Structure formats: structure tokens, C-alpha cells
């Protein structure tokens, strides 16, 4: 391991991938849905700026200095987190309707 930091785009894509795997393999012992919930908790806590909007480029748990830096740069656009959240919300709604389980989507 070179760095133990977590950048925004890999976490966004990871949430989407874990939820897709949970939908495709609900009985897998890897428990992809629980891993999705764990990653969502991390993202919601350390990556999303609930006060000013947007996502930090890395998790504040490992890079607290990112809280006071600009969030945009030439390599950071909204593609990854928008696409991920859009797909996750749609997938959670579909799973909820199919399985009769309610998910709270804030």
C-alpha cells in the first residue's frame, strides 16, 4: 500500500459497484450490501460537505486539510459522484419495490 487515503471518485464508483454486486449476488457470503452500507457511511461522514455542498477530494479522516482547500480542480468533476448516487438511488428503489423493503434515501 502506497497511501491509505481515500479519494472521492474511487469511493463513488465503489458504492455503485458494491450495490450492483449486492443486487446480482444477494446470497454471496461477501455480503456486498453490508459493504455498500459501510462505504456509504464513510462517504457520508468524511467525503460529503454537508455545509457547503459537493464532495471533498479525499476523506477528512486521513486528510483533514482538505476541509479548507478548494474542492474543484482540473481533474475533479461531478461525473463520478453524480453518476454513482444516481445509480445507487435508482438501484435501491428497484430493490425496495422488488423485495418489499424500504430503504431510507436522504
Amino acid at each position: 500500500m502506497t497511501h491509505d487515503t481515500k479519494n472521492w471518485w474511487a469511493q463513488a464508483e465503489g458504492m455503485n459497484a458494491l450495490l450492483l454486486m449486492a443486487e446480482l449476488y444477494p446470497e454471496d457470503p461477501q455480503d456486498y450490501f453490508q459493504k455498500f452500507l459501510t462505504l456509504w457511511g464513510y462517504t457520508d461522514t468524511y467525503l460529503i460537505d454537508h455545509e457547503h455542498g459537493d464532495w471533498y477530494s479525499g476523506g477528512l479522516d486521513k486528510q483533514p486539510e482538505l476541509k479548507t482547500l478548494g474542492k474543484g480542480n482540473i481533474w475533479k468533476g461531478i461525473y463520478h459522484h453524480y453518476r454513482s448516487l444516481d445509480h445507487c438511488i435508482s438501484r435501491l428503489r428497484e430493490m425496495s419495490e422488488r423485495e418489499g423493503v424500504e430503504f431510507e434515501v436522504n
Side-chain angles (χ1 to χ4, degrees):
M1 178 186 325
T2 306
H3 301 284
D4 66 349
T5 58
K6 295 184 169 136
N7 63 39
W8 91 101
W9 70 268
Q11 308 323 302
E13 295 297 342
M15 284 193 307
N16 190 42
L18 287 168
L19 200 50
L20 175 62
M21 293 297 287
E23 187 176 23
L24 293 173
Y25 305 104
E27 303 303 319
D28 192 290
Q30 290 295 321
D31 196 359
Y32 296 110
F33 189 73
Q34 185 56 51
K35 286 180 169 60
F36 161 78
L37 291 175
T38 300
L39 184 51
W40 166 245
Y42 176 86
T43 300
D44 190 40
T45 302
Y46 296 112
L47 284 169
I48 297 174
D49 182 347
H50 293 280
E51 185 177 350
H52 301 289
D54 202 2
W55 287 26
Y56 300 107
S57 58
L60 296 181
D61 60 325
K62 300 290 183 175
Q63 298 173 286
E65 69 278 5
L66 294 175
K67 188 167 187 163
T68 58
L69 298 178
K71 291 186 210 111
N73 61 55
I74 192 169
W75 301 109
K76 185 174 178 280
I78 65 164
Y79 168 78
H80 290 287
H81 48 290
Y82 171 79
R83 176 185 163 278
S84 171
L85 292 177
D86 185 54
H87 286 202
C88 288
I89 289 168
S90 295
R91 190 158 285 120
L92 286 169
R93 284 185 177 141
E94 290 172 13
M95 291 168 72
S96 175
E97 290 170 5
R98 186 176 53 249
E99 298 171 22
V101 177
E102 289 191 33
F103 299 107
E104 184 177 321
V105 181
N106 295 331

